[in-house]
Amino acid sequence: MSSVDSAFNYFILSYTPTVGAIIKNVPSINPQGPFKMMVVIDPKSLPQTVSEMKEIEKHISSDVLHKFGTNDSPALVDDVVLSLSSVSIAHFACHGQQFTDNSLKSSLKLQDSDLMISSIMEKHMPNATLSFLCACETAMGDSTLLDEVMHLGATLLFSGFRGVITTMWSIDDMDGPVIADAFYKYLLKDNATVPNMELAAEAVHFATAELRKQGVEFRRWAPFIHLGN
């Protein structure tokens, strides 16, 4: 990491799409039910997502990990939606698209079709705690609507997730594995048996710091941000 003193060395940032999201009395961000996690990758158009899943598997036990995008389990919309009802963390390493004129049309591109945000909002997700959108421009918004929150990350918060890791502009496919490895390693620090999702903002800060240590340019480490609680 650069030896130049900067705000990055002193502050851990977290963003909110609405004031209401930070004034609610929320006792704990961690789920009440058994911990489960889902990972959805797109190995055809984003080959490094295979490595990204392998990095996650280093930290999360296979018996609580639902994997989609593999040869044995393709990333099909119906299967992914069904899994959402039981998972605490949903990690998407795939392309996303947003429609600022109608945010409910925004979607994540899966193998057979698009997973519409409207479909996620209709799903009962009692344990939905954290979503990681390792996809391009999922917190970009619309320059013509400066006072409106119109991006995929915020919409997932409105769908029921308590926190979302998202990106402000296009990311390099090769950076996903580095970020995922460092992020989940931090959530499981101090010998935790399940990820401590209250540390999500700190974890994404730690993960981007790991990327900075490699000497990558600003545009590669800066887009990853935390939204919500």
Side-chain angles (χ1 to χ4, degrees):
M1 188 185 300
S2 172
S3 60
V4 176
D5 203 20
S6 67
F8 184 90
N9 300 326
Y10 298 96
F11 299 102
I12 294 174
L13 301 179
S14 180
Y15 300 83
T16 181
T18 66
V19 174
I22 59 174
I23 64 175
K24 291 180 181 178
N25 182 21
V26 181
S28 175
I29 195 172
N30 289 304
Q32 302 303 309
F35 173 77
K36 294 182 181 179
M37 177 175 171
M38 174 176 68
V39 181
V40 182
I41 66 172
D42 179 8
K44 184 174 181 180
S45 60
L46 298 169
Q48 286 300 315
T49 59
V50 175
S51 297
E52 188 170 335
M53 180 178 283
K54 289 180 179 178
E55 293 298 334
I56 293 172
E57 289 176 313
K58 286 166 47 178
H59 305 290
I60 306 297
S61 175
S62 60
D63 60 339
V64 297
L65 190 61
H66 299 188
K67 298 181 292 185
F68 297 100
T70 66
N71 291 332
D72 296 330
S73 182
L76 306 180
V77 169
D78 288 345
D79 294 340
V80 170
V81 169
L82 182 63
S83 186
L84 279 170
S85 63
S86 63
V87 300
S88 304
I89 300 179
H91 185 109
F92 294 95
C94 55
H95 289 296
Q97 58 181 349
Q98 63 179 21
F99 296 91
T100 54
D101 59 333
N102 184 353
S103 58
L104 294 181
K105 291 173 58 180
S106 298
S107 63
L108 295 163
K109 299 186 71 64
L110 303 189
Q111 186 169 329
D112 61 335
S113 185
D114 293 343
L115 173 56
M116 308 292 290
I117 292 299
S118 57
S119 298
I120 297 177
M121 295 184 74
E122 293 170 356
K123 193 69 178 176
H124 179 55
M125 301 183 295
N127 284 325
T129 306
L130 178 66
S131 180
F132 197 132
L133 296 176
C134 204
C136 295
E137 303 174 3
T138 48
M140 185 172 64
D142 185 355
S143 61
T144 64
L145 298 170
L146 298 180
D147 295 327
E148 300 291 335
V149 180
M150 304 289 288
H151 54 68
L152 276 166
T155 309
L156 280 177
L157 278 180
F158 303 147
S159 299
F161 286 96
R162 302 277 294 284
V164 179
I165 308 302
T166 185
T167 60
M168 295 186 291
W169 56 77
S170 296
I171 61 174
D172 283 15
D173 187 26
M174 69 183 71
D175 295 333
V178 178
I179 291 291
D181 177 35
F183 180 79
Y184 292 107
K185 177 182 179 180
Y186 194 92
L187 291 188
L188 287 159
K189 71 174 188 174
D190 299 326
N191 298 314
T193 56
V194 297
N196 183 355
M197 285 162 275
E198 292 183 342
L199 300 177
E202 296 177 36
V204 74
H205 182 88
F206 173 78
T208 53
E210 290 299 301
L211 199 56
R212 290 184 76 193
K213 288 178 181 178
Q214 298 184 4
V216 303
E217 54 190 314
F218 173 86
R219 68 165 186 85
R220 287 177 56 184
W221 63 261
F224 299 92
I225 63 171
H226 174 266
L227 299 175
N229 293 309

